[in-house]
Every structure is written in C-alpha cells, then in structure tokens.
Amino acid sequence: MRFDDTIFALSTARGRAGLAVIRISGPDATTIAQDIAGPLPLARGVRLASFRDPANGEAIDRGLVLYFAGPASVTGEDVVELHAHGGPAIVAA
C-alpha cells in the first residue's frame, strides 16, 4: 500500500446487522463515492442516496452518504461514509 492510495473498509462488524458503515478514504474517495451514490452532500453533511454498481448501474441499496473533507476528517484525507442496510449481500455488493 502506498500513502496516496484510496482505501475502503467496513467500519461496522461483519455479519448480519441492521446497519453497515462502509468508509472510503483517500484522494479518489469522492470520485468513487459519486460513482456509487451520485452527488455528495456538502462537507460534514448527509443525504439520502441510491447506491448503484458503477459497472452496470444496477441498484444495490438506498441509504445515507456522509462527506468529511480533509484535512478535517478521521484520516486527514477526504472521507466518505456509506450507511447501508447491514445484510451480507448488500455489504458484498
């Protein structure tokens, strides 16, 4: 891993849950998140979004998208959180 990589991780426990938080951090975080969730909210904002597979446009889920602009984020980089339903199929998609 390089220090300028964009990374993503499940920030909640794996398995069946009511909610899954997927965090994207790095220089391409906003571009990747927009490909999945459409327009981002203002920094430190939240909006309801439809999550889609960027490869084919297929609907995955509907949930919340939050945007934290760097350097005022947990990693110091741009961070986007996708708050989706926590079923394993949704998280895997």
Coordinates of all heavy atoms in Angstrom, one line a residue:
M1 N 0.8 -1.2 0.0 CA 0.0 0.0 0.0 C 0.9 1.2 0.0 O 1.8 1.3 0.7 CB -0.9 0.0 1.2 CG -1.9 1.2 1.2 SD -3.1 1.1 2.5 CE -2.2 1.7 3.9
R2 N 0.5 2.2 -0.8 CA 1.2 3.5 -0.8 C 0.4 4.5 0.0 O -0.7 4.3 0.3 CB 1.3 4.0 -2.3 CG 2.1 3.1 -3.2 CD 2.3 3.6 -4.6 NE 1.3 4.7 -4.9 CZ 0.5 4.6 -6.0 NH1 0.4 3.5 -6.7 NH2 -0.4 5.6 -6.3
F3 N 1.1 5.5 0.4 CA 0.4 6.5 1.3 C -0.6 7.4 0.5 O -1.4 8.0 1.1 CB 1.4 7.4 2.0 CG 2.2 6.7 3.0 CD1 3.5 6.4 2.9 CD2 1.5 6.4 4.2 CE1 4.2 5.7 3.9 CE2 2.2 5.7 5.2 CZ 3.5 5.4 5.1
D4 N -0.6 7.3 -0.8 CA -1.6 8.0 -1.6 C -2.7 7.1 -2.2 O -3.4 7.5 -3.1 CB -0.9 8.8 -2.7 CG -0.1 8.0 -3.7 OD1 0.1 6.8 -3.4 OD2 0.3 8.5 -4.8
D5 N -2.8 5.9 -1.7 CA -3.9 5.0 -2.1 C -5.2 5.5 -1.6 O -5.3 6.1 -0.5 CB -3.6 3.6 -1.6 CG -2.5 2.9 -2.4 OD1 -2.2 3.3 -3.5 OD2 -2.0 1.9 -1.8
T6 N -6.3 5.1 -2.3 CA -7.6 5.3 -1.8 C -8.0 3.9 -1.3 O -7.9 2.9 -2.0 CB -8.6 5.8 -2.9 OG1 -8.1 7.0 -3.4 CG2 -10.0 5.9 -2.4
I7 N -8.5 3.9 -0.1 CA -8.9 2.6 0.6 C -10.4 2.6 1.0 O -11.0 3.7 1.1 CB -8.0 2.3 1.8 CG1 -8.1 3.4 2.8 CG2 -6.5 2.2 1.4 CD1 -7.5 3.1 4.1
F8 N -10.9 1.5 1.2 CA -12.3 1.3 1.7 C -12.3 0.2 2.7 O -11.5 -0.7 2.7 CB -13.3 1.1 0.6 CG -13.3 -0.3 0.0 CD1 -14.1 -1.2 0.5 CD2 -12.4 -0.6 -1.0 CE1 -14.1 -2.5 -0.1 CE2 -12.3 -1.8 -1.6 CZ -13.2 -2.8 -1.1
A9 N -13.2 0.3 3.7 CA -13.3 -0.7 4.7 C -14.7 -0.7 5.3 O -15.3 0.4 5.4 CB -12.2 -0.5 5.8
L10 N -15.1 -1.8 5.8 CA -16.3 -1.9 6.5 C -16.0 -1.5 7.9 O -15.1 -2.0 8.6 CB -16.8 -3.4 6.6 CG -18.1 -3.7 7.3 CD1 -19.3 -2.9 6.7 CD2 -18.3 -5.2 7.3
S11 N -16.7 -0.5 8.4 CA -16.4 0.1 9.7 C -17.3 -0.4 10.8 O -17.2 0.0 12.0 CB -16.5 1.7 9.6 OG -15.6 2.2 8.8
T12 N -18.2 -1.3 10.5 CA -19.0 -2.0 11.5 C -18.7 -3.5 11.4 O -18.0 -3.9 10.6 CB -20.5 -1.7 11.1 OG1 -20.8 -2.0 9.7 CG2 -20.9 -0.3 11.4
A13 N -19.3 -4.2 12.4 CA -19.0 -5.6 12.5 C -19.5 -6.4 11.3 O -20.6 -6.0 10.7 CB -19.6 -6.2 13.8
R14 N -18.8 -7.4 10.9 CA -19.3 -8.3 9.8 C -20.4 -9.1 10.2 O -20.6 -9.4 11.4 CB -18.1 -9.2 9.3 CG -17.1 -8.4 8.6 CD -16.2 -9.4 7.7 NE -15.2 -8.7 7.0 CZ -15.4 -8.0 5.9 NH1 -16.6 -8.0 5.4 NH2 -14.4 -7.4 5.3
G15 N -21.2 -9.6 9.3 CA -22.3 -10.5 9.6 C -23.6 -9.8 9.4 O -23.7 -8.7 8.9
R16 N -24.7 -10.4 9.9 CA -26.0 -9.8 9.9 C -26.1 -8.6 10.9 O -25.8 -8.8 12.0 CB -27.0 -10.8 10.2 CG -27.1 -11.9 9.1 CD -28.1 -12.9 9.4 NE -28.8 -13.2 8.1 CZ -29.8 -13.9 8.0 NH1 -30.4 -14.4 9.1 NH2 -30.3 -14.1 6.8
A17 N -26.6 -7.5 10.4 CA -26.8 -6.3 11.2 C -27.8 -5.4 10.6 O -28.1 -5.6 9.4 CB -25.4 -5.6 11.4
G18 N -28.3 -4.5 11.4 CA -29.3 -3.6 10.8 C -28.6 -2.5 9.9 O -29.2 -2.0 9.0
L19 N -27.4 -2.2 10.2 CA -26.7 -1.2 9.5 C -25.2 -1.6 9.2 O -24.6 -2.2 10.1 CB -26.7 0.1 10.4 CG -25.9 1.3 9.9 CD1 -26.7 1.9 8.7 CD2 -25.8 2.3 11.0
A20 N -24.7 -1.2 8.1 CA -23.3 -1.3 7.7 C -22.8 0.0 7.3 O -23.4 0.7 6.5 CB -23.2 -2.3 6.6
V21 N -21.6 0.4 7.9 CA -21.0 1.6 7.5 C -19.7 1.3 6.7 O -18.9 0.6 7.2 CB -20.6 2.5 8.7 CG1 -19.8 3.7 8.3 CG2 -21.9 2.9 9.5
I22 N -19.7 1.7 5.5 CA -18.5 1.5 4.6 C -17.8 2.8 4.4 O -18.4 3.8 4.0 CB -18.9 0.9 3.3 CG1 -19.7 -0.4 3.5 CG2 -17.7 0.7 2.3 CD1 -20.5 -0.9 2.3
R23 N -16.5 2.9 4.8 CA -15.8 4.1 4.8 C -14.8 4.1 3.7 O -14.1 3.1 3.5 CB -15.1 4.3 6.1 CG -14.5 5.7 6.3 CD -13.9 5.8 7.7 NE -15.0 6.0 8.7 CZ -14.9 5.8 10.0 NH1 -13.7 5.3 10.5 NH2 -15.9 6.0 10.8
I24 N -14.8 5.2 2.9 CA -13.8 5.3 1.7 C -13.0 6.5 2.1 O -13.5 7.6 2.4 CB -14.6 5.6 0.4 CG1 -15.7 4.5 0.2 CG2 -13.6 5.6 -0.8 CD1 -16.7 4.9 -0.9
S25 N -11.6 6.3 2.0 CA -10.7 7.4 2.3 C -9.6 7.5 1.3 O -9.0 6.5 0.9 CB -10.1 7.2 3.7 OG -9.2 8.1 4.1
G26 N -9.2 8.7 1.0 CA -8.1 8.9 0.1 C -8.3 9.9 -1.0 O -9.4 10.4 -1.1
P27 N -7.4 10.0 -1.9 CA -7.5 11.1 -3.0 C -8.7 10.8 -4.0 O -9.2 11.8 -4.6 CB -6.1 11.0 -3.7 CG -5.5 9.7 -3.3 CD -6.1 9.4 -2.0
D28 N -9.1 9.6 -4.2 CA -10.2 9.3 -5.1 C -11.5 9.0 -4.4 O -12.4 8.5 -5.0 CB -9.8 8.1 -6.0 CG -8.6 8.5 -6.9 OD1 -8.5 9.6 -7.4 OD2 -7.8 7.6 -7.1
A29 N -11.6 9.2 -3.1 CA -12.8 8.9 -2.3 C -14.0 9.5 -2.9 O -15.1 8.9 -3.0 CB -12.6 9.2 -0.8
T30 N -13.9 10.8 -3.2 CA -15.2 11.5 -3.6 C -15.6 11.0 -5.0 O -16.8 10.8 -5.3 CB -15.0 13.0 -3.6 OG1 -13.9 13.4 -4.4 CG2 -14.8 13.5 -2.2
T31 N -14.6 10.8 -5.9 CA -15.0 10.3 -7.2 C -15.6 8.9 -7.2 O -16.6 8.6 -7.8 CB -13.7 10.2 -8.1 OG1 -13.1 11.5 -8.2 CG2 -14.0 9.7 -9.5
I32 N -15.0 8.0 -6.4 CA -15.6 6.7 -6.2 C -17.0 6.7 -5.6 O -17.9 6.1 -6.1 CB -14.6 5.8 -5.4 CG1 -13.3 5.5 -6.1 CG2 -15.3 4.5 -4.9 CD1 -12.2 5.0 -5.3
A33 N -17.1 7.5 -4.5 CA -18.4 7.6 -3.9 C -19.5 8.2 -4.8 O -20.6 7.7 -4.8 CB -18.3 8.5 -2.6
Q34 N -19.1 9.2 -5.6 CA -20.1 9.7 -6.6 C -20.5 8.7 -7.6 O -21.6 8.7 -8.1 CB -19.5 11.0 -7.3 CG -19.4 12.2 -6.3 CD -18.7 13.4 -6.9 OE1 -18.9 13.6 -8.1 NE2 -18.0 14.1 -6.1
D35 N -19.6 7.8 -8.0 CA -19.9 6.8 -9.0 C -20.9 5.8 -8.3 O -21.7 5.2 -9.1 CB -18.7 6.0 -9.3 CG -17.7 6.8 -10.3 OD1 -18.1 7.8 -10.8 OD2 -16.6 6.3 -10.5
I36 N -20.9 5.7 -7.0 CA -21.8 4.7 -6.3 C -23.1 5.4 -5.9 O -24.2 4.9 -6.1 CB -21.1 4.1 -5.1 CG1 -19.9 3.3 -5.5 CG2 -22.1 3.3 -4.2 CD1 -19.0 2.8 -4.4
A37 N -23.0 6.7 -5.3 CA -24.1 7.3 -4.7 C -24.6 8.6 -5.3 O -25.5 9.2 -4.8 CB -23.7 7.6 -3.2
G38 N -24.0 9.0 -6.4 CA -24.4 10.3 -7.0 C -23.8 11.5 -6.3 O -22.8 11.3 -5.6
P39 N -24.4 12.6 -6.5 CA -23.8 13.8 -5.9 C -23.7 13.7 -4.3 O -24.5 13.2 -3.7 CB -24.9 14.9 -6.2 CG -25.6 14.4 -7.3 CD -25.6 12.9 -7.2
L40 N -22.5 14.2 -3.8 CA -22.3 14.2 -2.4 C -22.9 15.4 -1.7 O -23.0 16.4 -2.3 CB -20.7 14.2 -2.2 CG -20.0 13.0 -2.7 CD1 -18.5 13.1 -2.4 CD2 -20.5 11.7 -2.2
P41 N -23.2 15.2 -0.4 CA -23.6 16.4 0.3 C -22.5 17.4 0.5 O -21.3 17.0 0.3 CB -24.1 15.8 1.6 CG -23.3 14.6 1.8 CD -23.1 14.0 0.4
L42 N -22.8 18.5 1.1 CA -21.7 19.5 1.5 C -20.9 18.8 2.6 O -21.3 17.9 3.2 CB -22.3 20.8 2.0 CG -23.1 21.6 1.0 CD1 -23.7 22.8 1.6 CD2 -22.2 22.0 -0.2
A43 N -19.6 19.3 2.8 CA -18.8 18.7 3.8 C -19.5 18.7 5.2 O -20.2 19.7 5.5 CB -17.5 19.6 3.9
R44 N -19.3 17.6 5.9 CA -20.0 17.4 7.2 C -21.5 17.3 7.0 O -22.2 17.5 8.0 CB -19.6 18.4 8.2 CG -18.1 18.4 8.5 CD -17.8 18.7 9.9 NE -16.4 18.5 10.2 CZ -15.9 17.3 10.7 NH1 -16.7 16.3 10.9 NH2 -14.6 17.2 10.9
G45 N -22.0 17.0 5.8 CA -23.4 16.9 5.6 C -23.8 15.5 5.3 O -22.9 14.6 5.2
V46 N -25.1 15.3 5.2 CA -25.6 13.9 4.9 C -26.8 14.0 3.9 O -27.4 15.1 3.9 CB -26.1 13.3 6.2 CG1 -27.2 14.0 6.9 CG2 -26.5 11.8 6.0
R47 N -26.9 13.0 3.1 CA -28.1 13.0 2.2 C -28.5 11.5 2.0 O -27.7 10.6 2.1 CB -27.9 13.7 0.9 CG -27.2 13.0 -0.1 CD -27.2 13.8 -1.5 NE -26.7 13.0 -2.5 CZ -27.4 12.1 -3.3 NH1 -28.6 12.0 -3.0 NH2 -26.8 11.5 -4.2
L48 N -29.8 11.4 1.7 CA -30.3 10.1 1.3 C -29.9 9.8 -0.2 O -30.1 10.7 -1.0 CB -31.8 10.1 1.5 CG -32.5 8.7 1.2 CD1 -32.0 7.7 2.2 CD2 -34.0 8.9 1.3
A49 N -29.4 8.6 -0.5 CA -29.0 8.3 -1.8 C -29.3 6.9 -2.2 O -29.5 6.0 -1.3 CB -27.5 8.5 -1.9
S50 N -29.4 6.7 -3.5 CA -29.5 5.3 -4.0 C -28.1 4.9 -4.4 O -27.4 5.6 -5.1 CB -30.4 5.3 -5.3 OG -31.7 5.6 -4.9
F51 N -27.7 3.7 -3.9 CA -26.4 3.1 -4.2 C -26.5 2.2 -5.4 O -27.3 1.3 -5.4 CB -25.8 2.4 -3.0 CG -25.7 3.2 -1.7 CD1 -25.9 2.6 -0.5 CD2 -25.4 4.5 -1.7 CE1 -25.8 3.3 0.7 CE2 -25.3 5.3 -0.6 CZ -25.5 4.7 0.6
R52 N -25.6 2.5 -6.4 CA -25.6 1.7 -7.6 C -24.2 1.1 -7.9 O -23.2 1.7 -7.6 CB -26.1 2.6 -8.8 CG -27.5 3.1 -8.5 CD -28.1 3.7 -9.8 NE -29.5 4.0 -9.6 CZ -30.4 3.1 -9.7 NH1 -30.2 1.9 -10.1 NH2 -31.7 3.5 -9.5
D53 N -24.2 0.0 -8.6 CA -23.0 -0.6 -9.1 C -22.4 0.3 -10.2 O -23.1 0.5 -11.2 CB -23.3 -2.0 -9.6 CG -22.0 -2.8 -10.0 OD1 -21.1 -2.1 -10.5 OD2 -22.1 -4.0 -9.9
P54 N -21.2 0.8 -10.0 CA -20.7 1.7 -11.1 C -20.5 1.0 -12.4 O -20.5 1.6 -13.4 CB -19.4 2.2 -10.5 CG -19.3 1.8 -9.1 CD -20.3 0.7 -8.9
A55 N -20.3 -0.3 -12.4 CA -20.0 -1.0 -13.6 C -21.2 -1.2 -14.5 O -21.1 -1.1 -15.7 CB -19.5 -2.4 -13.3
N56 N -22.4 -1.3 -13.9 CA -23.6 -1.6 -14.7 C -24.8 -0.7 -14.3 O -25.9 -0.9 -14.9 CB -24.0 -3.1 -14.7 CG -24.3 -3.6 -13.3 OD1 -24.6 -2.8 -12.4 ND2 -24.1 -4.9 -13.1
G57 N -24.7 0.1 -13.3 CA -25.8 0.9 -12.9 C -26.9 0.2 -12.1 O -27.9 0.8 -11.7
E58 N -26.7 -1.1 -11.8 CA -27.7 -1.8 -11.1 C -27.9 -1.3 -9.6 O -26.9 -1.1 -8.9 CB -27.3 -3.3 -11.0 CG -28.3 -4.2 -10.4 CD -27.9 -5.7 -10.5 OE1 -27.4 -6.1 -11.5 OE2 -28.0 -6.4 -9.4
A59 N -29.1 -1.2 -9.2 CA -29.4 -0.7 -7.8 C -28.9 -1.7 -6.8 O -29.1 -3.0 -7.0 CB -30.9 -0.5 -7.6
I60 N -28.2 -1.2 -5.8 CA -27.7 -2.1 -4.7 C -28.5 -1.9 -3.4 O -29.0 -2.8 -2.8 CB -26.2 -1.8 -4.4 CG1 -25.4 -2.1 -5.6 CG2 -25.8 -2.6 -3.1 CD1 -23.9 -1.6 -5.4
D61 N -28.7 -0.6 -3.0 CA -29.4 -0.3 -1.8 C -29.8 1.2 -1.8 O -29.4 1.9 -2.7 CB -28.5 -0.6 -0.6 CG -29.3 -0.7 0.7 OD1 -30.5 -0.7 0.7 OD2 -28.6 -0.7 1.8
R62 N -30.4 1.6 -0.8 CA -30.7 3.0 -0.5 C -30.3 3.3 0.9 O -30.6 2.6 1.8 CB -32.2 3.3 -0.7 CG -32.6 4.7 -0.8 CD -34.0 4.8 -1.3 NE -34.6 6.0 -0.9 CZ -34.7 7.1 -1.7 NH1 -34.1 7.0 -2.9 NH2 -35.3 8.2 -1.3
G63 N -29.5 4.4 1.1 CA -29.0 4.7 2.4 C -28.5 6.1 2.5 O -28.8 6.9 1.7
L64 N -27.7 6.3 3.5 CA -27.2 7.7 3.7 C -25.7 7.8 3.3 O -25.0 6.8 3.4 CB -27.2 8.0 5.2 CG -28.6 8.0 5.9 CD1 -28.5 8.3 7.4 CD2 -29.5 9.0 5.2
V65 N -25.4 8.9 2.7 CA -24.0 9.2 2.4 C -23.5 10.4 3.1 O -24.3 11.4 3.2 CB -23.8 9.4 0.8 CG1 -24.7 10.5 0.3 CG2 -22.4 9.6 0.4
L66 N -22.4 10.3 3.8 CA -21.8 11.4 4.5 C -20.5 11.8 3.9 O -19.7 10.9 3.5 CB -21.6 11.1 6.0 CG -22.9 10.8 6.8 CD1 -23.4 9.4 6.6 CD2 -22.6 11.0 8.3
Y67 N -20.1 13.1 4.0 CA -18.9 13.5 3.4 C -18.1 14.3 4.4 O -18.6 15.3 5.0 CB -19.1 14.3 2.1 CG -17.9 15.0 1.6 CD1 -16.7 14.3 1.3 CD2 -17.9 16.4 1.3 CE1 -15.6 15.0 0.8 CE2 -16.8 17.0 0.8 CZ -15.7 16.3 0.5 OH -14.6 16.9 0.0
F68 N -16.8 14.0 4.6 CA -15.9 14.7 5.5 C -14.7 15.1 4.7 O -13.9 14.3 4.3 CB -15.5 13.8 6.7 CG -16.7 13.3 7.5 CD1 -17.2 12.0 7.2 CD2 -17.2 14.0 8.5 CE1 -18.3 11.5 7.9 CE2 -18.3 13.5 9.2 CZ -18.8 12.3 8.9
A69 N -14.6 16.4 4.5 CA -13.4 16.9 3.7 C -12.2 16.9 4.5 O -12.2 17.3 5.6 CB -13.8 18.3 3.1
G70 N -11.1 16.5 3.8 CA -9.8 16.6 4.5 C -9.3 18.0 4.5 O -9.8 18.8 3.7
P71 N -8.5 18.4 5.5 CA -7.9 17.6 6.5 C -8.7 17.4 7.8 O -8.3 16.8 8.7 CB -6.6 18.4 6.8 CG -7.0 19.8 6.6 CD -8.0 19.8 5.5
A72 N -10.0 17.9 7.8 CA -10.8 17.8 8.9 C -11.6 16.5 8.9 O -12.8 16.5 9.0 CB -11.7 19.0 9.0
S73 N -10.9 15.4 8.9 CA -11.6 14.1 8.9 C -10.7 13.1 9.7 O -9.6 13.5 10.2 CB -11.7 13.5 7.5 OG -10.4 13.1 7.0
V74 N -11.3 12.0 10.0 CA -10.6 11.0 10.8 C -9.2 10.6 10.3 O -8.3 10.3 11.0 CB -11.5 9.8 11.1 CG1 -11.7 9.0 9.8 CG2 -11.0 8.9 12.2
T75 N -9.0 10.6 9.0 CA -7.8 10.2 8.4 C -6.9 11.4 7.9 O -5.8 11.2 7.4 CB -8.0 9.3 7.2 OG1 -8.7 10.0 6.1 CG2 -8.7 8.0 7.5
G76 N -7.5 12.6 7.9 CA -6.8 13.7 7.3 C -7.0 13.9 5.8 O -6.6 14.9 5.2
E77 N -7.6 12.9 5.2 CA -7.9 12.9 3.8 C -9.4 13.1 3.6 O -10.2 13.0 4.6 CB -7.5 11.6 3.1 CG -6.0 11.3 3.3 CD -5.7 10.0 2.8 OE1 -6.3 9.0 3.2 OE2 -4.8 9.9 1.9
D78 N -9.9 13.2 2.4 CA -11.3 13.2 2.1 C -11.8 11.8 2.5 O -11.2 10.8 2.2 CB -11.6 13.4 0.6 CG -11.5 14.9 0.2 OD1 -11.4 15.8 1.1 OD2 -11.4 15.1 -1.0
V79 N -13.0 11.8 3.2 CA -13.6 10.5 3.7 C -15.1 10.6 3.3 O -15.7 11.6 3.6 CB -13.4 10.3 5.2 CG1 -14.2 9.1 5.7 CG2 -12.0 10.2 5.6
V80 N -15.6 9.5 2.8 CA -17.0 9.4 2.5 C -17.5 8.1 3.2 O -16.8 7.1 3.2 CB -17.3 9.3 1.0 CG1 -18.8 9.1 0.8 CG2 -16.8 10.5 0.3
E81 N -18.6 8.2 3.9 CA -19.2 7.0 4.6 C -20.5 6.7 3.9 O -21.3 7.6 3.6 CB -19.5 7.3 6.0 CG -18.2 7.4 6.9 CD -18.5 7.5 8.4 OE1 -19.7 7.6 8.8 OE2 -17.6 7.6 9.2
L82 N -20.7 5.5 3.6 CA -21.9 4.9 3.0 C -22.6 4.2 4.1 O -22.1 3.2 4.6 CB -21.7 4.1 1.8 CG -20.9 4.7 0.7 CD1 -20.7 3.6 -0.4 CD2 -21.6 5.9 0.1
H83 N -23.8 4.6 4.6 CA -24.6 3.9 5.6 C -25.7 3.1 4.9 O -26.6 3.7 4.4 CB -25.1 4.9 6.6 CG -24.1 5.6 7.4 ND1 -24.3 5.9 8.7 CD2 -22.9 6.1 7.1 CE1 -23.2 6.5 9.2 NE2 -22.3 6.6 8.2
A84 N -25.5 1.8 4.8 CA -26.4 0.9 4.1 C -27.0 -0.1 5.0 O -26.6 -0.2 6.2 CB -25.6 0.2 3.0
H85 N -28.0 -0.8 4.5 CA -28.5 -1.9 5.3 C -27.4 -3.0 5.5 O -26.5 -3.1 4.6 CB -29.7 -2.5 4.6 CG -30.9 -1.6 4.5 ND1 -31.1 -0.8 3.5 CD2 -31.8 -1.3 5.4 CE1 -32.2 0.0 3.7 NE2 -32.6 -0.4 4.9
G86 N -27.4 -3.7 6.6 CA -26.3 -4.5 7.0 C -26.3 -5.9 6.6 O -25.5 -6.7 7.1
G87 N -27.2 -6.3 5.7 CA -27.2 -7.7 5.3 C -25.9 -8.1 4.5 O -25.4 -7.2 3.8
P88 N -25.4 -9.3 4.6 CA -24.2 -9.7 3.9 C -24.2 -9.4 2.4 O -23.2 -9.1 1.8 CB -24.1 -11.1 4.3 CG -24.8 -11.3 5.5 CD -26.0 -10.4 5.4
A89 N -25.4 -9.6 1.8 CA -25.4 -9.4 0.3 C -25.2 -8.0 -0.1 O -24.5 -7.7 -1.1 CB -26.8 -9.9 -0.2
I90 N -25.8 -7.1 0.7 CA -25.6 -5.6 0.4 C -24.2 -5.2 0.6 O -23.6 -4.5 -0.2 CB -26.5 -4.8 1.4 CG1 -28.0 -5.1 1.1 CG2 -26.3 -3.3 1.2 CD1 -28.5 -4.7 -0.2
V91 N -23.6 -5.7 1.7 CA -22.2 -5.3 2.0 C -21.3 -5.9 1.0 O -20.3 -5.2 0.5 CB -21.8 -5.8 3.4 CG1 -20.3 -5.6 3.7 CG2 -22.6 -5.1 4.5
A92 N -21.5 -7.1 0.5 CA -20.7 -7.7 -0.5 C -20.8 -6.9 -1.8 O -19.8 -6.8 -2.6 CB -21.0 -9.2 -0.7
A93 N -22.0 -6.5 -2.2 CA -22.2 -5.7 -3.4 C -21.4 -4.4 -3.4 O -20.9 -3.9 -4.3 CB -23.6 -5.5 -3.7

